[in-house]
């Protein structure tokens, strides 16, 4: 069994209208699913992705009006978004400057051009030149970003832990990742960031683990990340559920999210992971031409539609 790469990442927003505007109009991603948190139906769950919501392109947000995250270890600390080419990186830097958006400088990190930036709430992101690796892009023809510069999907996800060994043991011995290399942290050369690969490897299939024992523990909040999901073929889902139980890894057991099936587990330092299937996908209940234009609920919530939708604030 192999995990193929990053499936999606779910973060937290305390300002869902600004969040929607930023990721569709500034970043140019497509809202492919407008739904609610299935465990807290008072909150939106918004999914931004490529033109058809391909696995590996989803950046999603829970709408929770809570205090801002306290930065620290035992957390996901940066999300990379893949683009292609030095010209594209330069285009984005100019784009951010025109919008007075918080960003760093283009620099080579771990052998790839990288441009760190933040959304309006302080969510820590970065663009990375993927060199054309990963699934073929599905550009969105209604994006305000030119096709050649659009986000191609999720790149490496960076987590911070106080101790490497317990996390590395789970990543390699349970989840089957490969420890490939390490590099100095761009903000502190004394800190090492360890790269774990999935599947065929490449920037769409990497988890980067920064070892930062001197940081306080993070406190989850707005502009923070809730969890990262790893991608598995549909026909391996049951085997992953059996493997986690056989290896006595505490987990959620099978969870059917309707658009994909999930398994949740916490690695030993406390970061929440998910294993998610590739299908059936976001087109199972909507026409691909109109994805994200209305509130869509999984079947088990549909009978409560009127009550749920009446409590949601408009975001457009």
């Amino acid at each position: 069994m192999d995990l193929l790469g990053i499936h999606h990442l779910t973060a937290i927003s305390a300002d869902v209208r600004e969040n929607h505007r930023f990721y569709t109009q500034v970043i140019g991603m497509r809202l492919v699913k407008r739904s609610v948190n299935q465990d807290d139906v008072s909150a939106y769950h918004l999914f931004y992705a490529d033109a058809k919501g391909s696995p590996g392109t989803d950046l999603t947000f829970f709408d929770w009006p809570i205090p801002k995250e306290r930065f620290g270890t035992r957390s996901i600390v940066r999300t990379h978004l893949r683009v292609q080419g030095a010209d594209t990186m330069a285009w984005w830097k100019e784009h951010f400057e025109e919008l007075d958006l918080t960003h760093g400088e283009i620099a080579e990190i771990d052998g790839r051009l990288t441009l760190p930036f933040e959304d309006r709430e302080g969510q820590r992101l970065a663009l990375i030149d993927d060199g054309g690796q990963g699934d073929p892009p599905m550009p969105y023809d209604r994006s305000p970003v030119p096709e050649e510069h659009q986000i191609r999907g999720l790149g490496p996800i960076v987590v911070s832990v106080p101790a490497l060994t317990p996390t590395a043991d789970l990543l390699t011995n349970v989840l089957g990742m490969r420890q490939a290399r390490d590099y100095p942290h761009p903000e502190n050369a004394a800190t090492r960031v360890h790269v774990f690969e999935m599947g065929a490897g490449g920037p769409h299939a990497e988890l980067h683990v920064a070892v930062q024992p001197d940081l306080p523990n993070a406190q989850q909040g707005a502009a923070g990340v809730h969890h990262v999901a790893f991608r598995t073929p549909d026909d391996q889902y049951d085997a992953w559920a059996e493997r986690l139980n056989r290896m006595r890894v505490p987990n959620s057991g099978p969870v059917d999210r309707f658009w994909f099936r999930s398994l949740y587990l916490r690695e030993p330092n406390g970061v929440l992971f998910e294993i998610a299937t590739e299908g059936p996908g976001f087109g199972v209940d909507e026409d691909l031409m109109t994805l994200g234009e209305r509130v869509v609920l999984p079947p088990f919530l549909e009978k409560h539609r009127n009550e749920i939708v009446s409590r949601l604030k408009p975001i457009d």
Side-chain angles (χ1 to χ4, degrees):
M1 292 189 306
D2 271 328
L3 297 173
L4 303 178
I6 306 299
H7 184 283
H8 69 267
L9 178 132
T10 296
I12 301 167
S13 172
D15 185 351
V16 71
R17 293 189 68 178
E18 169 57 28
N19 178 273
H20 176 250
R21 188 198 68 81
F22 184 88
Y23 287 94
T24 58
Q25 298 304 309
V26 175
I27 301 301
M29 301 176 79
R30 184 182 186 186
L31 179 65
V32 295
K33 193 62 63 176
R34 185 188 305 235
S35 192
V36 296
N37 182 319
Q38 295 181 15
D39 304 310
D40 173 13
V41 297
S42 68
Y44 276 111
H45 191 181
L46 303 182
F47 295 74
Y48 306 103
D50 69 0
K52 66 174 187 178
S54 307
T57 69
D58 300 339
L59 179 58
T60 90
F61 286 87
F62 293 148
D63 164 32
W64 284 339
I66 56 178
K68 191 170 180 178
E69 177 199 40
R70 185 182 71 190
F71 178 77
T73 191
R74 302 185 190 271
S75 66
I76 297 170
V77 295
R78 192 169 296 275
T79 303
H80 286 80
L81 304 174
R82 293 184 293 110
V83 297
Q84 184 177 358
D87 290 348
T88 289
M89 297 292 284
W91 182 91
W92 278 101
K93 184 173 185 292
E94 183 177 347
H95 182 56
F96 294 157
E97 289 170 351
E98 289 174 350
L99 296 173
D100 195 25
L101 195 66
T102 299
H103 67 86
E105 297 298 323
I106 299 172
E108 187 172 297
I109 299 173
D110 189 34
R112 303 180 184 119
L113 291 181
T114 304
L115 174 60
F117 71 101
E118 295 180 2
D119 72 7
R120 297 297 188 191
E121 291 186 89
Q123 182 74 228
R124 295 179 298 278
L125 304 160
L127 298 175
I128 188 168
D129 181 1
D130 69 2
Q133 292 180 278
D135 294 333
M138 295 296 298
Y140 181 39
D141 60 7
R142 286 189 281 170
S143 173
V145 175
E147 179 176 320
E148 66 273 21
H149 299 319
Q150 286 181 23
I151 304 299
R152 292 164 50 86
L154 293 174
I157 306 302
V158 185
V159 305
S160 173
V161 299
L164 178 64
T165 299
T167 298
D169 285 347
L170 181 130
L171 295 178
T172 55
N173 297 329
V174 176
L175 299 183
M177 298 185 194
R178 305 177 302 278
Q179 189 166 355
R181 60 188 181 277
D182 63 73
Y183 62 92
H185 194 288
E187 297 172 11
N188 180 359
T191 294
R192 305 304 295 182
V193 182
H194 302 262
V195 177
F196 292 81
E197 295 180 332
M198 294 163 268
H204 62 293
E206 293 176 357
L207 185 72
H208 291 201
V209 182
V211 182
Q212 298 176 299
D214 296 332
L215 288 183
N217 291 340
Q219 182 173 318
Q220 195 168 80
V225 175
H226 190 267
H227 66 270
V228 60
F230 308 124
R231 179 176 169 187
T232 185
D234 296 12
D235 60 6
Q236 293 186 14
Y237 176 76
D238 291 335
W240 277 111
E242 293 169 4
R243 178 177 177 83
L244 294 180
N245 289 334
R246 185 174 67 253
M247 300 189 75
R248 299 183 179 180
V249 176
N251 67 90
S252 64
V255 179
D256 188 351
R257 297 301 189 193
F258 188 58
W259 306 295
F260 47 85
R261 291 182 294 164
S262 300
L263 295 161
Y264 298 88
L265 64 148
R266 287 195 184 273
E267 57 83 33
N269 280 301
V271 179
L272 183 60
F273 291 162
E274 176 184 352
I275 297 172
T277 60
E278 297 184 292
F282 293 127
V284 70
D285 58 352
E286 287 188 277
D287 188 301
L288 289 176
M289 295 297 293
T290 57
L291 289 177
E293 293 182 7
R294 66 183 185 91
V295 175
V296 176
L297 303 175
F300 79 94
L301 290 177
E302 192 60 45
K303 62 185 176 183
H304 304 294
R305 167 174 287 276
N306 290 342
E307 179 184 359
I308 290 171
V309 173
S310 69
R311 296 179 179 179
L312 298 174
K313 49 188 174 290
I315 62 172
D316 296 307

